[in-house]
């Protein structure tokens, strides 16, 4: 199996989603979309125009917004590639920014949370409410009730027409959805590892101009309580998602 990962920020790598794919024997190509670079070989590599060389697509997170396409041309390229994989009935997974790109690919608006919701961001391990449709979903049918999954985003989206919503939260209703049988969008960060989270704590402390210890005091208890369960869940979801390509 050949999986294409679109990495939109170096501090948001595929993490668990790559590790589990390699455990299953899959081949992976990682393209850093902003630098137009193959992260394995270092060669110049743009977002492919077609799905022909791959069996599945993962679009990862990043701090930019879908509405910033003029500054980040890869967003339009990724949107078109999502549609091509979907039309070819090949599995697609969008994570955080990737979920917003999937929503946009099927005609839904993406916007800052503060524009329409009562909060400006979601951050930390937050509980999911699984919709009734998740109980019959190939990936999520046994998802633990109230599972806490890592979030860090200030944007959200409306649901495209005709999709199946799979998870919700009161403060940010559209948490996960499926288009057809093989295209998934997850607003939360399934991919995170301890190493990724450590980097994010540094980044958040710098962004907020507060001591790192202040961030650690908030996130460390959450990591201790929730990361292992999230990783087990993420690995299971990834295995099942890869199975959709068969």
């Amino acid at each position: 199996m050949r999986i294409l990962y679109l990495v939109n920020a170096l501090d948001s790598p595929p993490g668990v989603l790559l590790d589990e794919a390699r455990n299953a024997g899959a081949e992976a190509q990682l393209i850093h979309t902003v630098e137009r670079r193959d992260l394995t070989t270092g060669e110049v590599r743009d977002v492919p125009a077609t799905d022909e060389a791959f069996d599945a697509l993962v679009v990862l997170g990043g701090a930019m917004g879908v509405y910033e396409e003029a500054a980040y041309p890869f967003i339009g390229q990724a949107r078109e590639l999502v549609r091509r994989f979907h039309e070819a009935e090949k599995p697609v997974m969008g994570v955080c920014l990737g979920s917003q790109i999937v929503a946009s690919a099927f005609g839904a608006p993406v916007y800052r949370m503060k524009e329409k919701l009562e909060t400006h961001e979601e951050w930390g391990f937050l509980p999911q409410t699984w919709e009734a449709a998740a109980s019959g979903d190939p990936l999520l049918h046994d998802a633990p009730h109230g599972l806490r999954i890592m979030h860090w985003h200030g944007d959200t989206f409306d649901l495209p027409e005709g999709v199946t919503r799979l998870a919700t939260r009161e403060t940010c209703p559209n948490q996960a959805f499926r288009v057809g049988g093989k295209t998934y969008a997850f607003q939360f960060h399934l991919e995170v590892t301890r190493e990724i989270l450590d980097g994010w704590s540094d980044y958040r402390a710098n962004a907020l101009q507060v001591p790192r210890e202040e961030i650690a005091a908030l996130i460390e208890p959450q990591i201790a309580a929730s990361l292992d369960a999230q990783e087990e869940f993420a690995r299971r979801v990834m295995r099942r998602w890869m199975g959709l390509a068969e």
Side-chain angles (χ1 to χ4, degrees):
M1 183 175 181
R2 300 158 298 171
I3 303 176
L4 173 62
Y5 293 82
L6 297 185
V7 180
N8 305 311
L10 293 179
D11 60 3
S12 295
V16 168
L17 302 179
L18 176 60
D19 185 60
E20 192 60 30
R22 286 176 169 165
N23 286 346
E27 298 179 14
Q29 183 171 24
L30 284 68
I31 296 177
H32 186 205
T33 56
V34 176
E35 294 182 358
R36 300 176 55 243
R37 177 166 57 92
D38 187 309
L39 287 175
T40 301
T41 67
E43 297 174 336
V44 174
R45 191 82 68 215
D46 213 336
V47 175
T50 75
D51 62 284
E52 293 177 0
F54 302 98
D55 303 303
L57 171 67
V58 178
V59 187
L60 294 157
M64 61 287 291
V66 169
Y67 41 78
E68 297 180 289
E69 185 176 344
Y72 299 98
F74 80 85
I75 291 171
Q77 296 169 335
R79 182 191 295 116
E80 178 60 29
L81 193 60
V82 165
R83 288 193 288 258
R84 288 185 177 273
F85 272 81
H86 179 78
E87 291 165 1
E89 298 186 355
K90 296 179 180 180
V92 174
M93 182 187 298
V95 174
C96 199
L97 172 64
S99 72
Q100 297 157 16
I101 289 174
V102 173
S104 177
F106 292 94
V110 179
Y111 46 88
R112 292 180 175 89
M113 291 176 65
K114 64 183 180 182
E115 294 176 3
K116 295 188 179 182
L117 305 179
E118 295 182 359
T119 184
H120 73 284
E121 71 167 1
E122 288 189 310
W123 177 75
F125 285 85
L126 305 175
Q128 291 296 302
T129 298
W130 306 107
E131 299 280 25
S135 65
D137 184 76
L139 274 54
L140 305 177
H141 57 83
D142 55 0
H145 176 71
L147 178 69
R148 291 181 175 270
I149 307 178
M150 183 65 193
H151 291 66
W152 192 6
H153 64 102
D155 289 351
T156 188
F157 49 83
D158 292 343
L159 284 182
E161 292 186 10
V163 307
T164 301
R165 188 165 70 178
L166 299 169
T168 188
R169 279 180 47 75
E170 184 176 356
T171 54
C172 185
N174 298 324
Q175 291 284 323
F177 67 87
R178 187 186 71 240
V179 189
K182 298 184 179 183
T183 297
Y184 284 81
F186 300 122
Q187 179 61 79
F188 40 78
H189 284 281
L190 282 175
E191 80 281 13
V192 293
T193 62
R194 178 66 207 228
E195 182 180 7
I196 292 172
L197 289 169
D198 285 344
W200 286 3
S201 291
D202 292 337
Y203 184 88
R204 187 169 179 83
N206 290 333
L208 297 178
Q209 295 185 325
V210 300
R212 190 187 189 283
E213 292 75 17
E214 184 175 323
I215 303 300
L218 296 171
I219 198 65
E220 287 296 330
Q222 297 183 35
I223 292 173
S226 302
L227 181 57
D228 286 349
Q230 170 177 320
E231 181 173 332
E232 179 183 354
F233 171 74
R235 290 183 181 278
R236 186 165 66 246
V237 167
M238 187 62 181
R239 290 193 299 271
R240 291 170 176 174
W241 177 82
M242 289 188 291
L244 298 176
E246 297 177 355

